[in-house]
Amino acid sequence: MSRKVIFKTYCQDQLSLLPPSYDDLVPIHHPVRVVNTIIDNIDISVLEKSYKGGGTSSYHPRMLLKVIIYAYLRNLYSSRKIEQALSENIHFMWLSGQSKPDHNTINDFRGKRLKGHLKSIFHQVVLLLVEQGVVSLKDIYVDGTKIEANANRYTFVWGKSIKTHKERIKKQLKELWSYVEKVYKEEQLIPNTPDFEAIDAEKVAATIHQINDALKGKDIDKKVKQKLNYAKKNWLTNMAKYEQQEAILQQRNSYSKTDPSATFMRMKDDHMQNGQLKPGYNFQASTNNQYLTNYTIGQTTADTTLLKDHVADHIQNYGQTPETLTADAGYGSEENYTDLEAKEITAFVKYNYFHKEQQDTKKGKINPFHPDQLYYNKKTDTYYCPMGQAMTHMGSYKKKTKNGFEQELHRYQAQNCNGCPLRSLCHKSKTHRIIERNYNLIRLKAAAKKLLTSEQGIEKRKQRCWDVEAVFGNIKQNMNFKRFMLKGIDKVKVEIGLIAMAHNLKKYSLTL
């Protein structure tokens, strides 16, 4: 015998005595309430002052800030999708008080109003989390990841290419001048030789003019005449273009034509899965307990050159220096160790070959020919090779890194390597072996090794893996943020700040 099917009442036209409130439809511990509460408790006067006044009324910046942060928390990065959510999503409608700014208003607020102001707002949010006891600014974990820019992947300018083109013009100018000298040699006249060392647009113009004047009225070779005419038409324009491109490059080796602030970098998660170069930015992050405490954007591929400014930014914004800093081998340089030592920060920062050293020590694989393994007599300032031969001090010299940091290196040379049975194992030089020693770096690496191999150091190294790298995993995989929406470094800083706040508030909401 079949039973009667009973359906729940369904009546779209049913009237309510009292209209439902959006507040009743939003759960108490929902992330949208966290965003609302946190943003209500921070000072946004800098944003309010950016409005000039007059004309029609404006949407309140606090409401727009809440909406954009919550949109990023929900993986909505398009201004058009945010506009759509404000009309369809109950949480967005509750958060905005049923205000419905269009996508242009949202985009202008994000790209223009927040520029230069979001960083201070982010740090206020972090300080609120510190008050709640979920974040500490004393211990930070630093790492970097590359995020693709919103730029064409196949239109670029390379620094090496500019240098090659300028050298080619320089070479051809010399060839033209050699022809001038050849012509005047027959007349036994010696023209004044132009300066070919550091050429620019002005010097190229002056040299072409000088060559043209020198050959005026002369019976010159047809090919030389063609080259000179080509130089007049193209080289001045080209040189001006190269100088403009070099001004954009500054210390970088490349940039994108569609976003000149972006540098071409090799990324692990590229769309072709072949490690190709793409325009991007180097996102530097400090974390604690998987919360982002600070962020900076770099335009260079190497993390090494970005740590100093990243730490300085932390100190400037919070007015306090972290007690410990943990980072991987990408940050282990003499400059970084020196800077952290000067700031009295305990640095659990690996250096190159740290893990290899640990593995070789465990396996008993120690290279007796490595400079670190050679016996050193401090009193006589002498090293001794594995055969016991003295390596005397040749002197010292100073050199600067690309970042402008000055290093001091000492050179030592063996007196006679001829006939040594260990020579092929010891070195490959055609002369007697020379070694270079950087005593400041040796001291700093020894101090780093002592810290890294201590109980606290082992604990810090383990925690770094799941602290900062988990944040990158959440941003790139869970939040699906692998490519910036905005162009230009100032707008990129705004966008990564929104991502950082969204990450922190989403994580905080899960603890409630």
Short mmCIF file of all heavy atoms in Angstrom, two decimals, residues 66 83 107 152 190 224 228 339 398 402 411 444 447 454 465:
data_model
loop_
_atom_site.label_atom_id
_atom_site.label_comp_id
_atom_site.label_asym_id
_atom_site.label_seq_id
_atom_site.Cartn_x
_atom_site.Cartn_y
_atom_site.Cartn_z
N LYS A 66 34.74 48.08 3.45
CA LYS A 66 34.18 46.81 3.94
C LYS A 66 33.80 45.89 2.78
O LYS A 66 34.12 44.70 2.79
CB LYS A 66 32.93 47.08 4.79
CG LYS A 66 33.18 47.71 6.13
CD LYS A 66 31.85 47.97 6.82
CE LYS A 66 32.01 48.66 8.16
NZ LYS A 66 30.70 48.94 8.81
N GLU A 83 29.96 44.41 -8.06
CA GLU A 83 28.72 45.17 -8.32
C GLU A 83 27.53 44.22 -8.38
O GLU A 83 26.46 44.50 -7.81
CB GLU A 83 28.86 45.93 -9.64
CG GLU A 83 27.61 46.70 -10.04
CD GLU A 83 27.68 47.27 -11.44
OE1 GLU A 83 28.66 46.98 -12.16
OE2 GLU A 83 26.76 48.02 -11.82
N ASN A 107 35.97 50.45 -8.63
CA ASN A 107 37.31 50.40 -9.21
C ASN A 107 38.10 51.67 -8.90
O ASN A 107 39.30 51.62 -8.62
CB ASN A 107 37.23 50.18 -10.72
CG ASN A 107 38.38 49.36 -11.24
OD1 ASN A 107 38.91 48.48 -10.54
ND2 ASN A 107 38.81 49.62 -12.45
N ASN A 152 50.94 41.88 -20.70
CA ASN A 152 51.17 40.97 -21.81
C ASN A 152 52.44 40.16 -21.56
O ASN A 152 53.48 40.72 -21.21
CB ASN A 152 51.31 41.77 -23.11
CG ASN A 152 51.26 40.88 -24.34
OD1 ASN A 152 52.00 39.90 -24.44
ND2 ASN A 152 50.42 41.23 -25.28
N ILE A 190 95.00 65.71 -39.36
CA ILE A 190 94.56 64.86 -38.24
C ILE A 190 93.35 65.53 -37.58
O ILE A 190 93.51 66.53 -36.87
CB ILE A 190 95.68 64.65 -37.20
CG1 ILE A 190 96.91 64.05 -37.88
CG2 ILE A 190 95.19 63.77 -36.06
CD1 ILE A 190 98.11 63.93 -36.96
N VAL A 224 79.43 54.10 -47.34
CA VAL A 224 79.64 54.98 -46.20
C VAL A 224 78.58 56.08 -46.19
O VAL A 224 78.04 56.44 -45.14
CB VAL A 224 81.05 55.59 -46.22
CG1 VAL A 224 81.21 56.65 -45.12
CG2 VAL A 224 82.10 54.50 -46.07
N LEU A 228 75.84 56.76 -43.27
CA LEU A 228 75.76 58.07 -42.63
C LEU A 228 74.33 58.62 -42.70
O LEU A 228 73.82 59.18 -41.71
CB LEU A 228 76.74 59.04 -43.30
CG LEU A 228 76.95 60.40 -42.61
CD1 LEU A 228 77.42 60.21 -41.17
CD2 LEU A 228 77.95 61.24 -43.38
N ASP A 339 72.94 43.79 8.65
CA ASP A 339 71.82 44.68 8.96
C ASP A 339 71.02 44.17 10.15
O ASP A 339 70.65 44.95 11.04
CB ASP A 339 70.92 44.81 7.72
CG ASP A 339 69.75 45.74 7.95
OD1 ASP A 339 70.00 46.95 8.17
OD2 ASP A 339 68.60 45.29 7.92
N LYS A 398 88.55 45.77 -1.60
CA LYS A 398 87.13 45.96 -1.32
C LYS A 398 86.34 45.97 -2.62
O LYS A 398 86.82 46.45 -3.64
CB LYS A 398 86.90 47.26 -0.55
CG LYS A 398 87.49 47.24 0.86
CD LYS A 398 87.21 48.53 1.60
CE LYS A 398 87.79 48.47 3.02
NZ LYS A 398 87.52 49.72 3.77
N LYS A 402 75.85 44.57 -6.09
CA LYS A 402 74.90 45.32 -6.93
C LYS A 402 74.03 46.23 -6.09
O LYS A 402 73.52 47.24 -6.56
CB LYS A 402 74.03 44.35 -7.73
CG LYS A 402 74.76 43.63 -8.84
CD LYS A 402 73.81 42.74 -9.62
CE LYS A 402 74.54 42.03 -10.75
NZ LYS A 402 73.63 41.14 -11.52
N ARG A 411 93.28 37.89 0.14
CA ARG A 411 93.77 36.87 -0.80
C ARG A 411 95.05 36.21 -0.25
O ARG A 411 95.92 36.89 0.31
CB ARG A 411 94.10 37.51 -2.16
CG ARG A 411 92.85 37.95 -2.91
CD ARG A 411 93.19 38.89 -4.05
NE ARG A 411 94.02 38.26 -5.06
CZ ARG A 411 93.55 37.57 -6.10
NH1 ARG A 411 92.26 37.42 -6.26
NH2 ARG A 411 94.37 37.05 -6.99
N LEU A 444 79.89 35.89 10.55
CA LEU A 444 78.43 35.95 10.55
C LEU A 444 77.81 34.57 10.27
O LEU A 444 76.81 34.19 10.87
CB LEU A 444 77.95 36.96 9.51
CG LEU A 444 78.27 38.43 9.80
CD1 LEU A 444 78.02 39.30 8.58
CD2 LEU A 444 77.44 38.94 10.98
N ALA A 447 78.04 32.40 13.36
CA ALA A 447 77.02 32.77 14.34
C ALA A 447 75.65 32.25 13.89
O ALA A 447 74.86 31.75 14.71
CB ALA A 447 76.97 34.29 14.49
N SER A 454 70.85 25.12 17.06
CA SER A 454 70.40 25.05 18.45
C SER A 454 68.98 24.50 18.50
O SER A 454 68.30 24.38 17.47
CB SER A 454 70.44 26.45 19.09
OG SER A 454 69.50 27.30 18.45
N CYS A 465 58.27 26.52 7.81
CA CYS A 465 57.67 25.80 6.68
C CYS A 465 56.16 25.87 6.70
O CYS A 465 55.53 26.11 5.67
CB CYS A 465 58.13 24.35 6.68
SG CYS A 465 59.91 24.15 6.45
#
